[in-house]
Structures are given as C-alpha cells and as structure tokens.
Amino acid sequence: MKQKVNHRRSIRKKNHDYCDPGKYFITLVTHNRKPFFGKVIDGKMELNENGKIVLEEWMRTKELRTKMILHEFVIMPDHFHAILEIKTKIQNPLASCPENGPARDSIGAMLGNFKAKVTGRIRKNEAFKSDKIWVRNYYDIIVVDEQANQTITSYIKKHPQP
C-alpha cells in the first residue's frame, strides 16, 4: 500500500520565529467564504449568533493568553482580522518554535485553539452540525514598525463595525 504524502506548503515567513515578541496582523477566513458571522446592513456589521460566538471567544482569548496583547480586530461576515502582539519570547520546553509545530502559547497554537472553540460552539446548532467553519490555515503579516501598525489599524477601523 502506498503511503500518503503531505505536500502542504507553509505560508509562514521562512526563518521567522513566531514565538518572538512583536505584532502580527492576522486574517482568518471562513470555509468557501461562507458568511457565517452576520451581514453588513447600511454600512454596519450585524453579528448573528455565530458572530457573537466569535466575539465572545476572542474576548475570552484575551483573558487566557497573558503573554499576548490583542489589539484592533473586526469580525466580518466571512472573515476575521486582528492585530496580535507577543509581549515576551514564548518559551515552551515541550516544543521548539517553529520546528516541531506551534509552541503552546504561540500565535499558531492560540489561533488553532480559538478556531476550535468557535467551531465547537457553532456546531452545537443543528443547522451547522456538519459545516466546516474555517479554512485550514491563517494569513499573517509581521508588523515591522509603527507606520505599518497605524496603516493596518486604520484598515481594520474602516471595516463596518458592530
């Protein structure tokens, strides 16, 4: 029997340690860009029950991840943008970052946990029981300086807000 070979390519920046202090602009996208989280009505984002779950879990993340600061964010019908900041180098004796997968408190681990919590709660609703909620990965931009931070913050604030 032939063994299945995994040909997934990482979209992370090569030779960058995602456990290092710094700011990151992340984007999470829904599976097939399905508008799971609400609608934009008259220029305002109207969160549905699923969108409220995303908001609740993001606020919960802020309480759980003390090594990170959560800055600006926006929930849109089919995606989520946020600026995250790692305050201090993340150390994990069980996993180096990034060679053996995401370290426990890394951005990858945090976003994986966040997506899993959101998915679990949304799937409690019978209408979404078998739906895939998110695409597999996330997109990130390393925020290199204050000008980039201001540009990204402005971009997020221009989205319709709840």
Side-chain angles (χ1 to χ4, degrees):
M1 179 185 338
K2 231 180 180 180
Q3 188 175 13
K4 186 177 176 181
V5 178
N6 186 348
H7 292 288
R8 291 183 185 172
R9 283 186 19 239
S10 174
I11 58 175
R12 304 285 75 80
K13 183 177 179 184
K14 288 186 188 296
N15 302 319
H16 182 78
D17 187 342
Y18 282 83
C19 294
D20 280 344
K23 287 185 178 178
Y24 301 85
F25 172 49
I26 61 100
T27 301
L28 305 176
V29 179
T30 62
H31 186 72
N32 291 329
R33 298 295 285 211
K34 189 170 179 179
F36 278 113
F37 307 135
K39 297 179 187 175
V40 176
I41 301 172
D42 296 326
K44 183 177 178 182
M45 179 60 194
E46 298 288 338
L47 297 177
N48 60 20
E49 289 305 310
N50 295 338
K52 290 174 186 173
I53 289 171
V54 173
L55 178 60
E56 289 166 10
E57 289 300 330
W58 194 247
M59 293 298 99
R60 205 165 153 257
T61 296
K62 184 171 26 177
E63 296 166 12
L64 296 174
R65 304 292 181 157
T66 59
K67 294 181 181 183
M68 291 185 186
I69 299 171
L70 307 183
H71 294 279
E72 293 294 327
F73 70 94
V74 65
I75 303 165
M76 296 303 296
D78 62 356
H79 66 283
F80 174 82
H81 290 303
I83 300 174
L84 310 174
E85 181 178 359
I86 297 176
K87 295 190 294 189
T88 59
K89 174 91 172 156
I90 294 170
Q91 302 293 331
N92 182 350
L94 301 176
S96 62
C97 187
E99 293 88 13
N100 297 326
R104 182 177 172 269
D105 291 321
S106 69
I107 290 173
M110 184 274 273
L111 292 175
N113 187 46
F114 169 73
K115 287 165 55 173
K117 292 284 188 183
V118 168
T119 299
R121 288 185 61 194
I122 289 173
R123 283 190 177 160
K124 286 182 181 177
N125 180 334
E126 224 21 73
F128 302 105
K129 198 86 171 157
S130 62
D131 284 355
K132 286 186 177 182
I133 307 300
W134 304 102
V135 296
R136 175 184 140 312
N137 218 325
Y138 65 93
Y139 301 95
D140 72 270
I141 295 173
I142 300 164
V143 182
V144 294
D145 58 26
E146 189 50 36
Q147 181 178 352
N149 183 59
Q150 288 177 7
T151 300
I152 294 166
T153 298
S154 175
Y155 173 76
I156 290 173
K157 287 181 176 182
K158 286 180 182 174
H159 280 70
Q161 302 293 315

